[in-house]
Amino acid sequence: MGSACIKVTKYFLFLFNLLFFILGAVILGFGVWILADKSSFISVLQTSSSSLKVGACVFIGVGAITMFMGFLGCIGAIKEVRCLLGLYFAFLLLILIIQVAAGALFYFNMGKLKQEMGNIVTNLIQNYKDSHEDRLQEAWDYVQAQVKCCGWVSFYNWTENTELMNRTNITYPCSCEARREEQDSFVVRKGFCEALDSNRTESGNSPEYWPVYHEGCMKKVQAWLQENVGIILGICVGVAVIELLGMLLSICLCRHVHSEDYSKVPKY
């Protein structure tokens, strides 16, 4: 009966570690996505915000270590090596502590991140240059066109751009243009555009005549960020639950493995 329990525990631990390995790969993938994304609001943040870059590197590091620990746990479970099981338990405990600390730090700094987002976008709008190739500007153009918004709080944020407001004709940010559903929404226009009806020169470049979305991007971007953060945190909670189960199973198996046979450790 005892031998049967050990076998069941061993193979359960193997399955948990296989799932653990997959979830570690998902966490690593999120970190790589944050650093590699060039077309969404993440690109705007990670170019200007050092905290997001650090967070992405933490995700990559934790994901890589998690994958390694899943691999180590699989070998320790199948080969019944106590030293590997003990090392596996210690690393799991360390990763769990780091995850809880990082999650708490991220949660309590959400307000700071939102404020930082507003400062980044406001500065970007103020310094936006027409006919200037810039990855940050292109990312923000993409956000405005896809989310169907203009500016941060409202489209009036663009009145703080000196180059735009110095135009004598009705000129507006191209990516802000209010487009009909039948128009091609996949083509993102960049820079500044002149309105087709540019006869209202007596009032200069008045924003009241701009054919743009009036709603700002702040609420939509924050909702998008909150949704994606929720997904990431949900995955981290799932990994933490599997870590706890893996720790319990590794302790149970380690207690029942009395003799240490190092010949079972794979040699490369």
Side-chain angles (χ1 to χ4, degrees):
M1 186 68 181
S3 177
C5 287
I6 292 175
K7 283 188 177 181
V8 170
T9 303
K10 180 171 69 173
Y11 289 111
F12 262 112
L13 183 59
F14 176 81
L15 290 175
F16 274 119
N17 279 286
L18 186 60
L19 184 59
F20 192 52
F21 180 88
I22 294 170
L23 287 175
V26 172
I27 292 177
L28 187 145
F30 269 116
V32 173
W33 168 64
I34 290 173
L35 291 179
D37 191 352
K38 306 299 180 187
S39 60
S40 73
F41 190 69
I42 287 293
S43 176
V44 178
L45 282 180
Q46 70 100 357
T47 303
S48 304
S49 173
S50 58
S51 59
L52 194 68
K53 291 179 181 178
V54 172
C57 292
V58 169
F59 274 121
I60 292 173
V62 170
I65 294 172
T66 301
M67 291 176 67
F68 174 73
M69 292 311 302
F71 176 73
L72 191 65
C74 286
I75 295 177
I78 294 299
K79 300 295 183 179
E80 297 182 16
V81 181
R82 293 188 70 183
C83 66
L84 288 181
L85 291 171
L87 186 64
Y88 170 74
F89 176 85
F91 269 99
L92 274 187
L93 183 60
L94 180 62
I95 292 174
L96 187 61
I97 293 172
I98 292 173
Q99 282 179 326
V100 171
L105 185 65
F106 186 80
Y107 178 80
F108 289 112
N109 281 278
M110 278 295 292
K112 182 181 177 182
L113 181 61
K114 289 179 180 179
Q115 183 180 2
E116 191 177 28
M117 277 196 302
N119 294 335
I120 291 169
V121 175
T122 301
N123 185 65
L124 172 62
I125 290 173
Q126 291 173 352
N127 298 290
Y128 190 99
K129 303 293 182 184
D130 190 21
S131 303
H132 176 66
E133 293 292 331
D134 182 79
R135 186 161 56 88
L136 200 59
Q137 289 187 181
E138 291 176 1
W140 184 242
D141 284 329
Y142 179 87
V143 171
Q144 290 189 136
Q146 294 299 313
V147 181
K148 297 183 178 180
C149 58
C150 189
W152 185 241
V153 178
S154 74
F155 73 104
Y156 280 105
N157 286 125
W158 280 99
T159 60
E160 299 174 16
N161 185 285
T162 306
E163 181 183 346
L164 177 62
M165 298 312 295
N166 283 340
R167 301 291 180 93
T168 55
N169 294 330
I170 303 300
T171 308
Y172 58 92
C174 300
S175 58
C176 285
E177 184 178 353
R179 312 182 76 180
R180 296 187 298 272
E181 291 184 3
E182 60 268 18
Q183 290 179 297
D184 185 12
S185 59
F186 293 98
V187 178
V188 178
R189 301 176 68 189
K190 305 169 186 176
F192 298 143
C193 296
E194 284 193 11
L196 296 177
D197 182 11
S198 300
N199 297 324
R200 302 187 183 95
T201 55
E202 67 278 3
S203 58
N205 189 17
S206 177
E208 283 75 17
Y209 297 123
W210 293 354
V212 298
Y213 301 109
H214 287 192
E215 184 182 1
C217 301
M218 180 176 66
K219 291 183 179 179
K220 290 184 176 181
V221 167
Q222 287 182 352
W224 175 87
L225 187 66
Q226 192 76 32
E227 180 183 345
N228 282 273
V229 166
I231 293 172
I232 294 172
L233 291 179
I235 291 173
C236 289
V237 169
V239 171
V241 172
I242 294 174
E243 285 171 350
L244 289 172
L245 291 172
M247 289 166 66
L248 290 173
L249 289 172
S250 64
I251 285 295
C252 290
L253 185 58
C254 195
R255 287 180 58 191
H256 288 88
V257 178
H258 300 291
S259 59
E260 191 72 89
D261 185 3
Y262 287 98
S263 64
K264 293 183 177 180
V265 180
K267 296 177 177 61
Y268 301 101

